[in-house]
Amino acid sequence: MSKPRIGGVYCAAVTPLDAELSPDLARFVAHCHRLLDAGCHGVALLGTTGEANSFSLAERRAILEAAVAGGVDPARLMPGTGLCALADTIELTRHALSLGVTRVVMLPPFYYKGVAEDGLYAAYAHVLDAVADDRLEVVLYHIPQVSGVPIGHGLIARLIAAYPDTVVGIKDSAGDLANMAAIAAAHPGFAVLAGADPLLLPLLGLGGAGCITATSNLVGDSLRTVYDHHADPAAADRVAAAQARIEAWRNLSNSYVQIPAIKAMVAATTGEDGLARVRPPLVALDAAARAALAAKLETLP
Amino acid sequence: MSKPRIGGVYCAAVTPLDAELSPDLARFVAHCHRLLDAGCHGVALLGTTGEANSFSLAERRAILEAAVAGGVDPARLMPGTGLCALADTIELTRHALSLGVTRVVMLPPFYYKGVAEDGLYAAYAHVLDAVADDRLEVVLYHIPQVSGVPIGHGLIARLIAAYPDTVVGIKDSAGDLANMAAIAAAHPGFAVLAGADPLLLPLLGLGGAGCITATSNLVGDSLRTVYDHHADPAAADRVAAAQARIEAWRNLSNSYVQIPAIKAMVAATTGEDGLARVRPPLVALDAAARAALAAKLETLP
């Protein structure tokens, strides 16, 4: 069995909330379609940007079900399913498969820090053995600055060796291009996906497969331009312009707390104020910050 | 309304697992009774040592229900109920109250790091406003080396001011006695509980209320001696001997990875091998390490 390598521009989609801070499913589905229309290959919902771990399992299931029921092709959805409790990870992964969603992004259990590689291997193995579905494709999730639990090269190699048709990629959100390039070089066919928008371009030249990023909530079209034309010398100007736009939008979001800023920027660009809401412990930008951000947005390419 | 201050020796109880790594409820209940018989005032189940975040909500509910059904006085149980998703924290807190268990230890949402104090305040307030039960007493949980989310003095003060009859204490597992003393001095009547066994003794002299610790799975009797007699000059020798025993057992556990070591030591002292099991991502001590540890146990006071 051989599956095509995961690749392309995946959006780490924000999750719109209603006034009670519950997931606004209709607006979420509309956002998914907006992202795909902009050129994203897929929607990596329920990740860090999507505030997944601020939702209950029932809410997470409902969000994914809404996307599928709302007409998003399950092949273009890649939900986060990794939690601290392996039973929960198993449940969410099985649930995704039950909807025909076969690709997931899987955090390691992230409560305990400094755990041994053997323990992380055992955790992933426990989940994969329990799910035991040939359709499943797992993207490991390396975001140590948030999870506190890095995915090291030794762990990656062991998981690929044991589950070659299932452990098929990694989202690397640590921002270290050399680390991504080293993984890509060590494991041809394994999909290395950048977690930071500006790194899509250099990573594609180093054997990377694409990206899963936050700024693609706003500039998916530019990321798509980079992805499609990065190797075409005749398109160098277009690619450079797209990259400059990506960097400008990302730099603006990162001059605030990133996730609330991305949501505020989505609210500003769509005109839907409510899209700026976040769940505690995140804090929405206040009115003054949102006004200042909206003014700066006008100046971006 | 005024409630007596929480105080005494609470055990951060381990959770026995069966061969399938599911909670072994019968052995858990037996362990609770063993701890209370040893002199612990209460059982702080489902904390970090109890591997709470490695269990699903259903498993966590079942563990608490087993303790109550097994005859442990609900007034002596203090489960951990704090999760990343506030809906889950609300559910577990309500569940505890439904069983007559009114005291809980509550982690802040711990996925996002570096969040603003406003966000942590909003998270706790959201939970407390939703539960809205006058019986509830919440012990905040400061264990930044694991959770990655410290509970600062500003947050403590705001929560006490807003919820004076509900936010009644803190478990401080960061190991900094000066921090504990400062909280106790700033908030008389607020229960500061040491998360590290050797700090019970000095903390009691600095206005602290007691402890919630891992080594009390093994030497609860010594911790009780310290608690009962720390201020009695005539008992100085007994207290010093108890403190030396506490330190010796703790030092041994901490010369390995702590939680697997505590479980291995409980297995060795009870003769029940299975009590050494842990869930991934934790890794049980291997046979050689367990044998070495058991030999060292023989030499301890």
Side-chain angles (χ1 to χ4, degrees):
Chain A
M1 189 179 66
S2 184
K3 299 161 179 166
R5 188 172 82 154
I6 293 175
V9 175
Y10 281 82
C11 179
V14 297
T15 309
L17 302 176
D18 65 20
E20 284 70 47
L21 303 187
S22 290
D24 186 329
L25 300 178
R27 285 192 168 78
F28 178 69
V29 172
H31 188 56
C32 288
H33 286 296
R34 187 159 50 226
L35 297 171
L36 296 172
D37 290 347
C40 292
H41 294 89
V43 180
L45 66 165
L46 291 167
T48 300
T49 304
E51 297 173 86
N53 290 314
S54 297
F55 299 119
S56 68
L57 292 195
E59 289 172 325
R60 292 169 74 140
R61 288 193 301 264
I63 290 165
L64 184 59
E65 287 168 12
V68 173
V72 181
D73 179 356
R76 301 181 76 172
L77 291 168
M78 193 152 67
T81 64
L83 287 124
C84 294
L86 302 182
D88 293 340
T89 302
I90 293 165
E91 178 180 333
L92 285 184
T93 304
R94 284 181 176 152
H95 173 260
L97 288 161
S98 76
L99 298 173
V101 175
T102 60
R103 293 170 165 178
V104 304
V105 180
M106 200 179 284
L107 278 168
F110 55 82
Y111 182 64
Y112 295 108
K113 309 303 187 297
V115 294
E117 181 183 300
D118 281 350
L120 294 178
Y121 178 83
Y124 276 113
H126 181 84
V127 169
L128 299 179
D129 292 344
V131 174
D133 189 315
D134 286 345
R135 297 173 298 162
L136 180 64
E137 296 182 86
V138 170
V139 173
L140 307 173
Y141 192 1
H142 176 60
I143 183 166
Q145 71 274 33
V146 181
S147 68
V149 182
I151 307 284
H153 291 212
L155 177 62
I156 295 167
R158 288 173 68 182
L159 286 169
I160 292 174
Y163 303 94
D165 294 318
T166 304
V167 177
V168 298
I170 187 166
K171 175 182 179 187
D172 185 337
S173 293
D176 178 358
L177 186 63
N179 188 61
M180 301 179 214
I183 297 168
H187 305 288
F190 186 72
V192 180
L193 302 159
D197 305 82
L199 298 183
L200 171 63
L201 177 56
L203 182 61
L204 289 171
L206 295 165
C211 66
I212 303 177
T213 61
T215 316
S216 54
N217 282 284
L218 300 153
V219 294
D221 52 346
S222 296
L223 286 150
R224 182 61 183 262
T225 296
V226 168
Y227 183 82
D228 285 346
H229 302 291
H230 70 99
D232 175 10
D237 288 353
R238 274 182 73 193
V239 169
Q243 180 76 355
R245 182 161 175 264
I246 292 163
E247 291 180 4
W249 285 68
R250 178 179 159 90
N251 289 344
L252 179 56
S253 74
N254 285 15
S255 68
Y256 299 84
V257 178
Q258 188 191 24
I259 299 169
I262 291 283
K263 294 190 93 167
M265 289 162 80
V266 172
T269 53
T270 60
E272 296 201 64
D273 262 12
L275 295 185
R277 297 184 188 108
V278 298
R279 264 204 182 172
L282 299 184
V283 180
L285 299 194
D286 64 23
R290 287 184 60 192
L293 185 149
K296 288 176 196 161
L297 270 181
E298 300 292 327
T299 71
L300 296 185
Chain B
M1 187 177 66
S2 184
K3 299 162 179 166
R5 187 172 80 154
I6 293 175
V9 175
Y10 282 81
C11 179
V14 298
T15 308
L17 303 176
D18 65 20
E20 283 71 46
L21 303 187
S22 290
D24 186 329
L25 300 177
R27 285 192 168 79
F28 178 69
V29 172
H31 188 56
C32 288
H33 286 296
R34 187 159 49 226
L35 297 171
L36 296 172
D37 290 347
C40 293
H41 294 90
V43 180
L45 66 165
L46 290 166
T48 300
T49 305
E51 297 174 86
N53 290 314
S54 298
F55 299 120
S56 68
L57 292 194
E59 288 171 326
R60 292 170 73 140
R61 288 193 301 265
I63 289 166
L64 184 59
E65 288 167 11
V68 173
V72 181
D73 181 355
R76 301 180 77 171
L77 291 168
M78 194 152 66
T81 63
L83 288 124
C84 295
L86 301 182
D88 292 341
T89 303
I90 292 165
E91 178 181 333
L92 285 184
T93 304
R94 284 182 177 151
H95 173 260
L97 287 161
S98 77
L99 298 173
V101 175
T102 60
R103 293 170 165 177
V104 304
V105 181
M106 198 179 285
L107 278 168
F110 54 83
Y111 182 65
Y112 295 109
K113 308 304 188 294
V115 294
E117 182 184 299
D118 281 351
L120 294 177
Y121 178 83
Y124 276 113
H126 181 84
V127 170
L128 298 178
D129 293 344
V131 175
D133 189 315
D134 286 346
R135 297 173 298 163
L136 179 64
E137 295 182 84
V138 170
V139 173
L140 307 173
Y141 192 1
H142 177 61
I143 183 167
Q145 71 275 31
V146 181
S147 68
V149 182
I151 306 283
H153 291 212
L155 177 62
I156 295 168
R158 287 173 68 183
L159 287 169
I160 292 174
Y163 303 94
D165 294 317
T166 304
V167 177
V168 299
I170 188 165
K171 176 183 179 188
D172 186 336
S173 293
D176 177 357
L177 186 63
N179 187 61
M180 300 178 214
I183 298 169
H187 305 288
F190 186 73
V192 180
L193 301 159
D197 305 83
L199 298 183
L200 171 64
L201 178 56
L203 181 61
L204 290 171
L206 295 165
C211 66
I212 303 177
T213 60
T215 317
S216 54
N217 282 285
L218 300 152
V219 293
D221 53 345
S222 296
L223 285 150
R224 182 61 182 261
T225 296
V226 168
Y227 184 81
D228 285 347
H229 302 291
H230 69 98
D232 176 10
D237 287 352
R238 275 182 72 192
V239 169
Q243 181 74 356
R245 183 161 174 263
I246 292 163
E247 292 180 4
W249 284 68
R250 178 180 160 90
N251 289 344
L252 179 56
S253 72
N254 286 15
S255 67
Y256 299 85
V257 178
Q258 188 191 24
I259 298 169
I262 292 282
K263 294 190 94 166
M265 290 162 80
V266 172
T269 54
T270 59
E272 296 200 66
D273 261 13
L275 295 185
R277 297 184 188 108
V278 298
R279 266 205 180 171
L282 299 183
V283 180
L285 299 193
D286 64 24
R290 286 183 60 191
L293 185 149
K296 288 177 194 161
L297 270 180
E298 299 291 327
T299 71
L300 297 184

